[in-house]
Amino acid sequence: MTLKFGVVGTGAIGREHIDRITNKLSGGKIVAVTDVNQESAKQTVEMYQLDAVVYPDDQALIADENVDVVVVTSWGPAHEATVVAAVEAGKYVFCEKPLATTAEGCMRIVEAEMKQGKKLVQVGFMRRYDNGYVQLKQAIDNHEIGEPLMIRAAHRNPTVGENYVTEMAVVDTLIHEIDVLHWLVNDDYKSVQVVFPRKTKYSHEKLQDPQLFTIETVGGIVMSVEVFVNCKYGYDIQCEVIGEDGVAKLPEYSSIVMRKDEKLSTSILNDWKYRFMDAYNVEIQDFIDSVTKKGEPQGPTSWDGYIAAVTADACVKAQQTGQKEAIVLNEKPAFYSEKKLQKA
Ligand code: NAI
Ligand code: NAD
Ligand code: ISE
């Protein structure tokens, strides 16, 4: 069986996902695309030589009976409307982060999905599919470092555009750590506080950069997470878990070791596309296989999208107040419990 995909948003990552579904993965085919910039959608069809209809908007694409799955790769604020409409039409959805830009928006998606009676939505938190994070989680779950006590993490981008402002350090960038860190240590978040160090000269008026987040969990783990999006030297993701019996660290991206000009060096990547390329491939192949064979996606759920949004809201509030802000989640519906996931 071939899953037929319609893609909403043919920008940077929309095109990446179209390329991987068309040329790298198995079991999927792009049959429809749309973008508010219609030229971008048409160019994408030509660029990848797709046998796909270009729709004027997401609603028309969702209405196409030939579309089994809606891929949402538009910009964040547009996600909620597309996801809700797709779920109400009974379509599967692969939505890039954030699921919605507010916790209320995520709850509307959760409610629409529960009404359909089965899981339809997966959120693009691809780090859960990254080999390094998977190894780190296995070490923690196997108690190789004892109880985790602290985490030191860093999310560094070489540079960002002028439209990237202080809040986006949370909703666009930290959101990946927000998802992956509680998953790593099987704990819930309790509070967050933000400190702004001296600002880099490479930032602009509307962006505080870097930023330092201190996040505490219900179980007492303290996480120190740096976001630095004009670090200049490369795309660098760091994560070190300090436990009672040892320390486990995310491996560096594999690179040859060079001896040259009196220097011993390895390379650092400069783009998320390359750093997480394998993770995106595994993530979307898993989505295709799960939907095809089990009838439900098995990856990060709408509820994970909701947890991320509630936490992000508290982080943004903490940016504004400078105080420790509480992170309070609604009770998790039984619909999203692990048991339901295994039964599917
Ligand atoms: P982009 O700006 O390059 O592309 C987004 C495209 O969506 C644009 O072509 C835009 O015209 C279109 N678009 C926006 N709203 C739309 C709507 N309502 N209907 C149809 N098309 C619409 O953005 P980029 O970098 O591709 O990011 C897209 C999404 O992917 C974002 O949610 C972003 O957070 C996420 N993303 C995730 C990454 C990851 O590592 N998982 C990496 C990069 C982006
Ligand atoms: P992008 O700017 O390259 O693409 C966004 C596209 O959305 C553009 O083509 C734009 O024309 C289109 N668009 C905007 N508003 C629209 C609307 N209302 N209706 C239809 N189309 C609209 O951005 P991107 O880098 O591809 O990011 C897109 C999404 O992917 C974002 O949500 C981003 O957070 C996410 N993303 C995730 C990762 C990741 O690592 N998982 C990496 C990059 C981006
Ligand atoms: C981008 O949208 C991503 O998701 C990348 O993974 C992240 O590193 C970057 O900061 C975001 O802008």
Side-chain angles (χ1 to χ4, degrees), residues 268-287:
I268 294 177
L269 295 174
N270 68 357
D271 198 325
W272 49 262
K273 276 177 207 151
Y274 311 117
R275 171 63 180 82
F276 288 109
M277 172 124 42
D278 293 342
Y280 296 123
N281 288 338
V282 177
E283 168 192 51
I284 296 192
Q285 189 65 65
D286 178 63
F287 177 89

Side-chain angles (χ1 to χ4, degrees), residues 109-306:
I109 292 170
V110 159
E111 278 154 17
E113 187 175 40
M114 289 199 296
K115 232 185 201 169
Q116 293 291 328
K118 71 172 187 173
K119 289 207 194 75
L120 294 169
V121 180
Q122 178 161 331
V123 184
F125 286 130
M126 75 296 177
R127 289 195 190 180
R128 296 188 188 202
Y129 291 91
D130 173 76
N131 192 35
Y133 278 106
V134 169
Q135 287 183 54
L136 208 47
K137 181 157 177 64
Q138 278 167 357
I140 295 165
D141 287 351
N142 295 338
H143 306 289
E144 289 175 42
I145 59 167
E147 287 298 324
L149 309 172
M150 293 179 278
I151 290 185
R152 258 202 302 264
H155 188 151
R156 301 190 187 123
N157 291 189
T159 183
V160 288
E162 285 289 309
N163 61 345
Y164 187 110
V165 296
T166 296
E167 208 180 293
M168 288 174 75
V170 172
V171 298
D172 210 48
T173 299
L174 180 75
I175 196 101
H176 284 295
E177 274 73 19
I178 289 175
D179 176 67
V180 86
L181 296 183
H182 80 87
W183 168 79
L184 261 187
V185 296
N186 307 302
D187 204 345
D188 292 324
Y189 298 130
K190 190 171 100 183
S191 69
V192 59
Q193 189 159 20
V194 188
V195 171
F196 293 152
R198 176 177 174 168
K199 187 165 156 176
T200 168
K201 67 180 177 191
Y202 297 112
S203 191
H204 57 85
E205 203 196 333
K206 294 193 172 145
L207 172 62
Q208 193 66 46
D209 188 40
Q211 303 181 26
L212 198 56
F213 298 81
T214 303
I215 305 175
E216 284 179 78
T217 69
V218 172
I221 302 169
V222 176
M223 304 170 170
S224 166
V225 189
E226 168 203 318
V227 173
F228 187 13
V229 292
N230 286 288
C231 81
K232 291 290 159 191
Y233 70 84
Y235 185 81
D236 195 7
I237 304 298
Q238 302 280 331
C239 183
E240 184 178 49
V241 185
I242 298 105
E244 290 170 316
D245 296 321
V247 173
K249 194 167 182 201
L250 193 67
E252 293 292 337
Y253 190 80
S254 153
S255 142
I256 57 164
V257 180
M258 186 88 86
R259 286 172 162 80
K260 195 177 171 193
D261 297 337
E262 302 169 14
K263 286 199 182 86
L264 181 64
S265 64
T266 56
S267 302
I268 294 177
L269 295 174
N270 68 357
D271 198 325
W272 49 262
K273 276 177 207 151
Y274 311 117
R275 171 63 180 82
F276 288 109
M277 172 124 42
D278 293 342
Y280 296 123
N281 288 338
V282 177
E283 168 192 51
I284 296 192
Q285 189 65 65
D286 178 63
F287 177 89
I288 293 172
D289 294 345
S290 301
V291 168
T292 309
K293 294 178 191 146
K294 299 179 181 157
E296 284 189 354
Q298 305 287 297
T301 62
S302 299
W303 190 254
D304 292 309
Y306 165 76

